Structure formats: structure tokens, C-alpha cells
Amino acid sequence: MRTRFTEAFGVEHPIVQGGMMWVGRAELAAAVSEAGGLGILTGLTQPTPQALREEIARTRDLTDKPFGVNLTILPSISPPPYAEYRQAIIDSGVPIVEIAGANPATHLPFLKDAGIKVLHKCTSVKHALKAQQVGVDAVSIDGFECAGHPGENDTPGLVLIPAAARELEIPMLASGGIADARGLVAAMALGADGVNMGTRFLCTVESPIARVVKERIVANSELDTKLIFRTLRNTARVADNAVSRQVVEIERGGGTFEDVRELVAGARGRRVYEEGDLDAGIWSVGQCQGLIHDVPTCAELIETMVREAEALIAGRLAGSIVEAVAR
């Protein structure tokens, strides 16, 4: 399944494991890349730039295939030293960077000068076009179904993906609501050059989170998420649990961010993943959890997706076209 994305980024399959806070560590990223996809470390999961250098080195010990590093740039009272994290990525010779959050223009000159390919995550056609204009190599477009921040337009992938494909000239990945071969084939039919999956890779053997969290994802349906921060115009899709329900109620009552700050603290979400306490804090998961029914290895997941996608294209879809023509 060669596409413009696989050719440009030097990977075998058009399947990317997006950056996920507390989750994108060496074991997961390396397993995805070894299986022919593109694994991504989450830069800010590491507490310091030096720790990121060490995690990159650890990933290289596990795979000689291409992998990337995510750098998510969000408003913060005490922002991390982004320039130092960026330099750690450059010094380590990482070939690919996924940027999310803010405009990538600030970091692009440094990354491009180092020969690094840049993939930018965005949630609207407008932002995707801006990213193309400033010089990124590809974009990942997140539909409303995605985990984390889907933007404020509430545009689902079935509309957003072809809308972006119509306007963009650079390779594009589809993200949000994709968990299997059907999603991969649909995304490519809509004009994408591959897929970027978070929740599906969250629920794999190599994902470094508590087993009970993976079991909850398998048990959950597509209805088991909550949208928080709607009133703050910073919408986030997270798992439906005691904490997210409390946040929604506080917002409905006119509460401000200060009223929920303690509930949504990142350290509490980290406890969910590491300790398996499902109500310790908020944790990101997409609607595609309703399509997840097992916990495979990354190799099993990618091999199955590619095999079933090829079978869908050559079988059911080709048969439907022949039948339609015959009629």
C-alpha cells in the first residue's frame, strides 16, 4: 500500500501512531516502526530534554526503522523549554517530527535546516492550508471523533477529510474514528494518503499503560466519551468517568477553568495510565473505542489492517464496482 506519504516519509505502510502524552514511549514507538508503520515518541512525556535524548537512544536500540518525535505546543502558565526539546530532537538525528497545537512556523526553520520531515496535526482545512503555506511536509487532519482536542468546528471526518483533500497539495493523513482496515480504506477513498491512530495504539500489548485501562477501552462503546472545556472554547474528548462528568457539570453551572483546574491536572491523568485507577483523572480516548475488541501486538494490528484493507479493495469494493457496471 504505497502512497505519497509512505514515499515521502520512508515507511512501509501508511499507518502512523500519533503522539500521546504519557503513552508515546520507546517500546510503543519502536514496535510500530518495526511493524512497518511510523512510531512516534511524545517529546513532553519526558521530563527534560536530556531525558528525551535518552528515550530516543533507547528507541534506536529497539528498531533501526524510521520513527518520529511529537512536539505539542499549547498555551501554558509555565511553558516547557520548547527550543531545548527541539534541539534534543535535532542533535539526536531524528528524521521526523510531528507538531501539534500551535503554528509550526516557529520551529520549522530549525527542523528543516536539519533535514527533518515535519508532519503537522490540525483540526480544520484553514489550519491545514496555513501549515502547507509555511512549509510542512504533510498534515494530519483530525476529525471530531478523535481523542484529545478536535477543535471547535465539530466537523466529522467523513466531511473534513475530503474537504481537506480537495484543497491540499501535500500528503495528508486522516485521524479520528479510525481503528481498523475499514477506516484505512475509507480514509484513502476520501482522499487521504494514510491514517494517524492514537486510541487504537493505546490498546496494544506494547502500549505502556495499565492493563485495566486497555480492558476498559475494549469494554467501552462509542458513546463512552465526554466533551470537556466546551464552554472554554478548548474542547477535549476524554473518557467518560467520574471526573469528566464532574467537569461537565461544573461547566454547565457556569464554572471557570479555575473551578476545574485541580480535576484536570495532567498528573492525575498520568495516574490513570500508570496505576490503573480509572477515576483518578481525565484521560484521552476517541469514539473509535467502540470499534476496538482486542489487545493485539502492534505487529499483529498493522499486519491485520493491511491484509484486510487489501482484501476489501480487491474483493468487496472491486466486486461492487463490477456489479454496478454490469447493471
Side-chain angles (χ1 to χ4, degrees):
M1 297 188 70
R2 307 301 293 177
T3 70
R4 291 192 303 163
F5 178 80
T6 62
E7 295 294 337
F9 283 73
V11 296
E12 184 178 356
H13 303 305
I15 299 172
V16 176
Q17 163 252 314
M20 293 176 280
M21 194 64 177
W22 314 125
V23 181
R25 300 180 187 273
E27 291 82 1
L28 178 59
V32 174
S33 290
E34 272 294 291
L38 177 62
I40 303 232
L41 296 174
T42 308
L44 297 183
T45 289
Q46 301 305 316
T48 66
Q50 179 56 33
L52 176 58
R53 285 184 171 89
E54 294 167 4
E55 192 73 357
I56 291 169
R58 204 159 69 85
T59 308
R60 281 224 173 83
D61 288 339
L62 298 172
T63 184
D64 60 0
K65 303 286 182 65
F67 64 89
V69 175
N70 166 280
L71 194 59
T72 297
I73 305 150
L74 295 172
S76 174
I77 295 173
S78 301
Y82 289 116
E84 294 178 32
Y85 276 94
R86 182 186 67 217
Q87 195 60 46
I89 294 168
I90 293 170
D91 292 345
S92 299
V94 173
I96 299 163
V97 166
E98 177 190 65
I99 294 181
N103 189 327
T106 301
H107 300 278
L108 265 176
F110 302 94
L111 298 173
K112 301 297 282 185
D113 284 350
I116 294 172
K117 296 277 189 182
V118 178
L119 170 65
H120 183 58
K121 292 186 75 174
C122 42
T123 60
S124 71
V125 176
K126 175 183 177 181
H127 292 153
L129 287 171
K130 179 63 176 179
Q132 175 178 268
Q133 179 186 343
V134 300
V136 303
D137 298 283
V139 297
S140 177
I141 194 97
D142 280 4
F144 184 58
E145 308 92 333
C146 73
H149 294 277
E152 305 304 315
N153 296 325
D154 296 1
T155 309
L158 198 61
V159 174
L160 184 60
I161 298 164
R166 181 182 60 202
E167 300 289 339
L168 291 168
E169 297 177 1
I170 58 176
M172 179 191 71
L173 300 176
S175 182
I178 299 166
D180 56 24
R182 295 168 299 180
L184 172 58
V185 172
M188 295 178 71
L190 293 170
D193 300 289
V195 296
N196 188 333
M197 302 190 300
T199 300
R200 176 66 269 199
F201 281 115
L202 190 65
C203 201
T204 56
V205 170
E206 294 90 351
S207 170
I209 65 173
R211 177 77 189 187
V212 67
V213 181
K214 300 176 189 181
E215 291 171 349
R216 175 58 63 89
I217 293 171
V218 169
N220 278 350
S221 80
E222 66 277 8
L223 303 177
D224 294 311
T225 68
K226 289 290 185 187
L227 293 170
I228 62 173
F229 303 155
R230 293 291 268 174
T231 60
L232 307 176
R233 300 287 296 169
N234 189 30
T235 301
R237 187 181 298 282
V238 299
D240 182 357
N241 67 359
V243 180
S244 63
R245 289 192 292 272
Q246 187 177 354
V247 172
V248 170
E249 285 304 312
I250 291 172
E251 285 192 71
R252 283 176 179 163
T256 67
F257 180 73
E258 292 303 317
D259 297 313
V260 300
R261 178 194 291 270
E262 182 181 346
L263 292 171
V264 302
R268 292 184 59 160
R270 183 176 185 175
R271 284 180 52 206
V272 175
Y273 291 137
E274 295 182 355
E275 300 174 17
D277 182 349
L278 294 166
D279 287 317
I282 60 167
W283 52 285
S284 294
V285 69
Q287 289 183 309
C288 73
Q289 66 180 338
L291 305 176
I292 296 173
H293 307 296
D294 60 356
V295 185
T297 65
C298 292
E300 290 168 342
L301 172 61
I302 292 174
E303 191 276 332
T304 299
M305 282 186 66
V306 172
R307 184 184 70 248
E308 292 183 353
E310 290 173 342
L312 272 171
I313 294 167
R316 183 169 184 268
L317 297 184
S320 298
I321 292 171
V322 170
E323 183 179 347
V325 171
R327 288 175 182 171

